[in-house]
């Protein structure tokens, strides 16, 4: 059954509303959780606990989650996954007060592990179900507006969470999160998933081993050169972006002593850049010259990183760093939006729906590996060389990789609507 434009627009409105509420409350809850653990344990690890648990859970679940998403109806998976998250949060709410000090880490680690399993299932299930929610001409708007909602939430939720935490305490944030989950569940239940006949047959087909099913997704991924290249680029970008995650706080606060406000301005500029980029994509005509867009944005990121490094080396004025640095970081954020959103669109227009769960699960797991590796690498580098030259070197590396690898794929375009529909049916 073909999804008409009106229904696609309604589905986009529901999805973006759900994503905005869920991400906003989720980010506030994560911030409050970190503060609660910090006060209870006194450990700086409190804010980084999720960054340790998330990659572990993602890697363990890469095979079963991908197979699960590609075997059963996506709406059922999403509803059950969200319901599990609600139950886990409710149990956490009534048990956390029975622990004190370091003991609070026990229920928190268990809760975060269950929560991230559910989140990974939902993310893979959502990625695989896009063709069941909107028609192909609306995929770009759905992806860009969903990303814009997440960027908006990431920009403002920490500020609101920090203000509310003093007034209402951690328990109120649990209530906010539960309310957000219930609203998201109601919206999800109201959405119509248009299943293709091929997907139903796949679900009713003969049972294979978990590894056997997953290998089909890997074989597709390995046979698609440009998709494989894009995933390698994503791994490289996640590694390089650790230079900002680690380097900005270290250089701005510890080395240049420009204060937390300056750091906050730079971090906010990144999120605002991503928000602006996704809003531009949502209003732009359908993207066609995919490889050229990616080449331009990769060069922009490389030049911006060089600019940030040059700024730290040449001028340590607080005002200049705030203004010029914010523009540079804004450029990085906007460029990331023009990398992530077209990549997601390309995957959804290229990968057959019956394989999307396995391919997206593999892609997410690989990205999770590169993030901690990059964090450890740049933490070590900045510890011994706290200098803007590291930013310049990273930017030059980005430009070099772009120049060496992108020309081979420079004429690659986004698949046509009719072609992608035929591939996914």
């Amino acid at each position: 059954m073909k999804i008409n434009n009106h229904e696609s627009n309604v589905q986009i409105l529901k999805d973006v509303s759900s994503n905005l509420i869920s991400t906003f409350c989720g980010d506030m809850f994560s911030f409050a959780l970190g503060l609660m653990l910090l006060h209870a344990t006194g450990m700086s690890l409190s804010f980084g606990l999720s960054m340790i648990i998330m990659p572990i859970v993602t890697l363990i679940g890469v095979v079963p989650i991908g197979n699960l998403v590609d075997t059963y109806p996506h709406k059922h998976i999403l509803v059950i996954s969200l319901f599990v998250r609600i139950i886990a949060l409710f149990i956490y709410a009534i048990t956390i007060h029975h622990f004190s000090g370091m003991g609070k880490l026990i229920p928190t680690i268990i809760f975060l592990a269950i929560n991230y399993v559910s989140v990974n299932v939902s993310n893979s299930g959502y990625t695989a179900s896009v063709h069941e929610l909107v028609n192909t001409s609306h995929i770009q708007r759905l992806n860009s507006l969903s990303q814009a909602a997440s960027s908006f939430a990431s920009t403002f939720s920490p500020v609101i969470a920090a203000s509310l935490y003093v007034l209402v305490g951690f328990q109120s944030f649990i209530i906010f999160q539960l309310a957000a989950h219930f609203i998201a569940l109601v919206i999800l239940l109201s959405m119509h998933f248009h299943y293709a006949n091929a997907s139903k047959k796949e679900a009713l087909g003969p049972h294979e081993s978990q590894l056997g099913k997953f290998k089909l997704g890997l074989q597709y991924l390995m046979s698609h050169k440009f998709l494989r290249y894009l995933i390698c680029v994503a791994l490289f970008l996640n590694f390089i972006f650790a230079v900002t995650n680690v380097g900005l706080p270290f250089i701005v606060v510890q080395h240049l002593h420009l204060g937390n406000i300056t750091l906050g301005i730079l971090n906010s500029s990144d999120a605002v850049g991503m928000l602006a980029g996704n809003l531009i994509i949502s209003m732009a005509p359908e993207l066609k010259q995919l490889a050229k867009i990616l080449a331009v944005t990769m060069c922009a990121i490389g030049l911006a990183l060089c600019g940030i490094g040059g700024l730290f080396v040449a001028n340590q004025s607080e005002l200049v760093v705030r203004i010029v640095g914010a523009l540079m970081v804004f450029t990085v954020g906007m460029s990331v939006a023009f990398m992530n959103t077209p990549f997601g669109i390309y995957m959804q227009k290229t990968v057959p729906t019956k394989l999307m769960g396995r391919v997206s699960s593999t892609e997410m797991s690989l990205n999770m590996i590169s993030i901690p590796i990059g964090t450890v690498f740049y933490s070590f580098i900045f510890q011994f060389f706290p200098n803007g030259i590291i930013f310049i070197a990273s930017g030059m590396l980005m430009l070099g990789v772009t120049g060496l690898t992108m020309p081979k794929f420079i004429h690659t375009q986004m698949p046509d609507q009719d072609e992608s529909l035929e591939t996914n049916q």
Side-chain angles (χ1 to χ4, degrees):
M1 176 180 176
K2 183 174 174 60
I3 308 172
N4 61 45
N5 291 335
H6 173 71
E7 186 174 6
S8 293
N9 288 326
V10 172
Q11 300 271 59
I12 290 173
L13 178 61
K14 290 180 180 180
D15 179 83
V16 172
S17 301
S18 176
N19 195 28
L20 178 62
I21 295 170
S22 298
T23 305
F24 201 97
C25 291
D27 286 352
M28 287 202 304
F29 174 77
S30 296
F31 189 88
L33 178 63
L35 285 177
M36 183 274 291
L37 290 177
L38 182 62
H39 293 153
T41 66
M43 296 174 60
S44 58
L45 181 63
S46 300
F47 277 94
L49 192 61
S50 60
M51 295 305 296
I52 296 174
I53 297 174
M54 190 188 304
I56 296 174
V57 169
T58 302
L59 289 175
I60 293 175
V62 58
V63 174
I65 289 176
N67 291 338
L68 176 71
V69 170
D70 287 338
T71 303
Y72 298 101
H74 296 139
K75 184 172 184 177
H76 296 171
I77 293 173
L78 293 173
V79 170
I80 293 172
S81 175
L82 186 52
F83 193 66
V84 168
R85 217 177 307 166
I86 292 173
I87 294 174
L89 182 58
F90 180 77
I91 294 174
Y92 180 71
I94 62 178
T95 58
I96 185 63
H97 295 295
H98 295 287
F99 297 83
S100 60
M102 297 292 291
K104 287 185 180 290
L105 290 174
I106 299 173
T108 301
I109 290 173
I110 296 173
F111 163 72
L112 288 177
I114 297 172
N115 185 69
Y116 284 127
V117 169
S118 173
V119 168
N120 287 341
V121 170
S122 295
N123 288 342
S124 293
Y126 168 75
T127 301
S129 65
V130 167
H131 276 284
E132 299 162 356
L133 296 175
V134 299
N135 59 40
T136 310
S137 63
H138 283 70
I139 290 178
Q140 178 173 314
R141 177 179 290 183
L142 174 62
N143 278 270
S144 57
L145 288 178
S146 293
Q147 291 292 327
S150 297
S151 300
F152 179 86
S154 299
T155 303
F156 297 103
S157 58
V159 178
I160 296 177
S163 304
L164 286 179
Y165 187 85
V166 179
L167 299 175
V168 300
F170 177 64
Q171 194 69 26
S172 296
F173 284 89
I174 296 179
I175 297 174
F176 296 155
Q177 182 72 328
L178 280 171
H181 284 335
F182 277 112
I183 293 173
L185 181 60
V186 171
I187 294 175
L188 177 59
L189 290 172
S190 71
M191 298 178 77
H192 185 195
F193 287 65
H194 297 262
Y195 297 115
N197 292 331
S199 298
K200 294 178 181 178
K201 292 177 182 178
E202 177 78 9
L204 297 174
H207 294 286
E208 300 178 54
S209 68
Q210 287 286 310
L211 192 57
K213 288 181 179 180
F214 192 75
K215 282 182 177 178
L216 293 176
L218 284 180
Q219 288 170 0
Y220 176 85
L221 188 58
M222 295 306 295
S223 67
H224 200 293
K225 291 183 179 180
F226 187 61
L227 186 58
R228 191 168 70 243
Y229 169 73
L230 289 179
I231 291 179
C232 290
V233 167
L235 294 177
F236 176 70
L237 286 174
N238 282 329
F239 178 86
I240 289 293
F241 283 155
V243 72
T244 59
N245 297 335
V246 174
L248 282 181
F250 195 84
I251 296 293
V252 171
V253 178
Q254 296 294 329
H255 187 61
L256 299 180
H257 306 289
L258 297 179
N260 293 331
I261 295 178
T262 301
L263 178 61
I265 291 173
L266 296 181
N267 286 339
S268 298
S269 298
D270 179 58
V272 172
M274 291 187 67
L275 173 61
N278 280 301
L279 289 177
I280 291 173
I281 294 172
S282 70
M283 294 181 290
E286 186 178 3
L287 301 178
K288 291 292 186 181
Q289 304 295 329
L290 177 62
K292 292 179 181 179
I293 292 173
L294 297 181
V296 170
T297 54
M298 289 174 69
C299 289
I301 293 171
L303 292 173
L305 290 178
C306 290
I308 293 170
L311 180 66
F312 289 154
V313 171
N315 195 316
Q316 300 178 6
S317 165
E318 184 178 274
L319 180 61
V320 173
V321 170
R322 288 183 178 181
I323 296 175
V324 180
L327 290 174
M328 296 291 180
V329 177
F330 177 88
T331 301
V332 172
M334 179 176 285
S335 299
V336 169
F338 275 89
M339 287 288 296
N340 289 345
T341 303
F343 174 51
I345 297 169
Y346 182 80
M347 278 189 63
Q348 287 154 358
K349 286 189 173 185
T350 304
V351 181
T353 302
K354 63 182 180 181
L355 295 175
M356 181 62 81
R358 281 161 281 188
V359 173
S360 63
S361 179
T362 302
E363 184 261 334
M364 286 190 295
S365 299
L366 291 174
N367 283 335
M368 283 296 173
I369 294 174
S370 62
I371 293 173
I373 292 176
T375 300
V376 171
F377 174 79
Y378 278 107
S379 296
F380 177 81
I381 294 296
F382 276 108
Q383 193 66 42
F384 292 96
F385 304 100
N387 197 291
I389 293 176
I390 307 301
F391 283 88
I392 297 175
S394 299
M396 294 298 291
L397 180 60
M398 172 73 74
L399 293 172
V401 169
T402 304
L404 289 173
T405 63
M406 186 57 79
K408 181 179 179 181
F409 302 98
I410 199 64
H411 297 295
T412 303
Q413 297 190 358
M414 195 74 76
D416 291 332
Q417 294 181 26
D418 294 339
E419 174 187 339
S420 63
L421 280 171
E422 291 172 4
T423 304
N424 284 279
Q425 292 301 324

